[in-house]
Amino acid sequence: MGFYDLNALSIDGEDIKFDQYKGKVVLVVNTASKCGLTPQYEGLEALYQKYHDQGLEILGFPCDQFANQEPGDASDIKGFCSLNYGVTFQMFNKIDVNGPNAHPVFEYLRKEQGGILGDKIKWNFTKFLVDKDGNVVKRFAPTKKPEDFEAEVKALL
């Protein structure tokens, strides 16, 4: 099983198959609307706008597993992201990233790029960078801002 074998439901309920991302650089992020790191949406959207035409895709996965910082439903989340941050990159349905109900996307990403203290996701806005061949090449800590790893994204494009 590889990255391109995965799929997930978009925030609008559409089944998105990841094989459509072949040949693109993908950044996968677990997000939350009521987190101190929520302003990273702005940096993620800026990165997306700057590099989307060169093949960058950003996939946002809302998650409520950390201090209930994503309490809303799909409609609430979509409205918040659009209104407050102008998010145009692909957002997905709210999921779990850890535990028995962890979404297969995050089970795969965690297995491919474990963290410093094991593979569990520690907080909102953990980011995984996937190259054009579907290899998970890097994991960024929640506090690492998109502008701080822009050069690494650009190098893969």
Side-chain angles (χ1 to χ4, degrees), residues 3-68:
F3 185 75
Y4 299 131
D5 298 316
L6 299 166
N7 65 297
L9 284 180
S10 77
I11 202 156
D12 296 316
E14 177 189 352
D15 186 27
I16 305 283
K17 296 185 182 340
F18 284 21
D19 62 358
Q20 73 179 340
Y21 300 120
K22 283 183 181 173
K24 297 185 182 244
V25 173
V26 180
L27 186 67
V28 183
V29 188
N30 65 307
T31 63
S33 300
K34 303 202 178 313
C35 174
L37 301 175
T38 300
Q40 284 191 29
Y41 270 126
E42 188 174 337
L44 290 166
E45 181 63 23
L47 199 65
Y48 181 71
Q49 290 297 326
K50 191 169 183 179
Y51 296 108
H52 178 67
D53 289 345
Q54 296 174 46
L56 175 65
E57 295 291 342
I58 297 179
L59 312 181
F61 284 86
C63 177
D64 193 39
Q65 284 189 290
F66 306 102
N68 299 109

Side-chain angles (χ1 to χ4, degrees), residues 2-144:
F3 185 75
Y4 299 131
D5 298 316
L6 299 166
N7 65 297
L9 284 180
S10 77
I11 202 156
D12 296 316
E14 177 189 352
D15 186 27
I16 305 283
K17 296 185 182 340
F18 284 21
D19 62 358
Q20 73 179 340
Y21 300 120
K22 283 183 181 173
K24 297 185 182 244
V25 173
V26 180
L27 186 67
V28 183
V29 188
N30 65 307
T31 63
S33 300
K34 303 202 178 313
C35 174
L37 301 175
T38 300
Q40 284 191 29
Y41 270 126
E42 188 174 337
L44 290 166
E45 181 63 23
L47 199 65
Y48 181 71
Q49 290 297 326
K50 191 169 183 179
Y51 296 108
H52 178 67
D53 289 345
Q54 296 174 46
L56 175 65
E57 295 291 342
I58 297 179
L59 312 181
F61 284 86
C63 177
D64 193 39
Q65 284 189 290
F66 306 102
N68 299 109
Q69 294 183 343
E70 189 60 277
D73 64 15
S75 176
D76 295 333
I77 296 165
K78 185 176 177 182
F80 174 86
C81 291
S82 177
L83 185 66
N84 293 291
Y85 294 100
V87 168
T88 59
F89 56 83
Q90 183 65 61
M91 292 294 292
F92 290 85
N93 266 347
K94 187 161 55 172
I95 59 153
D96 283 356
V97 296
N98 293 322
N101 298 318
H103 192 281
V105 168
F106 278 84
E107 285 182 342
Y108 176 78
L109 294 170
R110 288 181 7 229
K111 180 173 68 75
E112 293 296 304
Q113 282 288 327
I116 294 170
L117 302 170
D119 74 347
K120 281 185 117 169
I121 305 292
K122 305 294 186 275
W123 202 253
N124 304 308
F125 291 91
T126 297
K127 301 158 211 69
F128 293 88
L129 188 59
V130 180
D131 71 13
K132 292 179 181 182
D133 298 317
N135 302 305
V136 186
V137 296
K138 193 85 185 230
R139 177 175 175 160
F140 298 107
T143 53
K144 187 108 171 166

